[in-house]
Amino acid sequence: MARKISKNLAKARAAVEPRPYLLNDAVPLIQKVKFAKFDENVDLTLRLGVDTRHADQMVRGTVILPHGLGKTKTVAVISTAENQRIAQEAGADIVGGEELVERIQKESWTDFDALIATPDMMRSIGRLGKVLGPRGLMPNPKTGTVTTDVAAAVKEIKAGKVEFRADKTALVHVPVGKSSFEPQKLIDNAMTVITSVVKAKPAAAKGKYVKGIYMSSTMGPGIEIDQAVVDVAGKA
């Protein structure tokens, strides 16, 4: 049986033509067809021509959005005492050491958006893989969340740093702001993400790298983005 959709979603879908849109046209359209009563997230999805079963074709990285995400992330830091003080001064919301590791392990507690750790704490944090891994919260040197410079890491995340990673189906999902943003801010954020993903192309990737780009709000229909942005991103 076909899934029944709401009248609002049907109306929104009808307003989107089945064709690729220039990014400058897609963003205003997303905002025009918005029907939810809350301030929706706007997400970007890229379909890549990679096989993530092979380590040398994994696509992963971080990017600082020029206009942030429209919300302040809750940042936790696990480190020794001196770095805890530095992290607090930099704006970390939660700081701790072994006691924080135990709380996460025993209670599966994850009331934070990002977790930063110093290298000397990673042996203890390794026990938290089953809790943090599925939620995408495990600290990793490649994303800058395992570092000795906790102050810089905290400030970057608070400024709008986001992580991107290709999943098992070679899709990359990244938030780029809120539907209430000025159109140009969403365009700038989206171009920043696209440029970063394009530059993260693995040397082992063969054939067409970016096979499709789509943009949508939380409740709204997906809009295909014209591939011209890939050429622009490649020259940035």
Side-chain angles (χ1 to χ4, degrees), residues 61-65 69 73 156 160-164 174-175 193:
T62 59
V63 58
I64 297 178
L65 302 179
L69 284 171
K73 285 191 172 184
E156 284 182 349
K161 182 178 180 179
V162 295
E163 179 181 356
F164 61 85
V174 189
V193 171

Side-chain angles (χ1 to χ4, degrees), residues 38-43 69 71 175 177-179 216-219:
F38 61 93
D39 192 8
E40 300 173 73
N41 290 328
V42 176
D43 299 307
L69 284 171
K71 68 172 185 177
K178 295 285 188 178
S179 59
S216 66
S217 61
T218 304
M219 303 295 291

Side-chain angles (χ1 to χ4, degrees), residues 139-207:
N140 189 303
K142 293 182 179 179
T143 59
T145 47
V146 177
T147 178
T148 55
D149 192 349
V150 293
V154 170
K155 290 175 181 178
E156 284 182 349
I157 292 173
K158 289 287 187 179
K161 182 178 180 179
V162 295
E163 179 181 356
F164 61 85
R165 181 176 184 175
D167 63 17
K168 293 180 180 179
T169 60
L171 293 177
V172 174
H173 303 280
V174 189
V176 293
K178 295 285 188 178
S179 59
S180 60
F181 275 24
E182 294 175 10
Q184 191 58 50
K185 289 185 177 181
L186 286 172
I187 292 168
D188 291 346
N189 281 355
M191 274 306 305
T192 300
V193 171
I194 293 169
T195 300
S196 296
V197 174
V198 168
K199 290 185 175 180
K201 179 182 178 180
K206 305 298 181 183

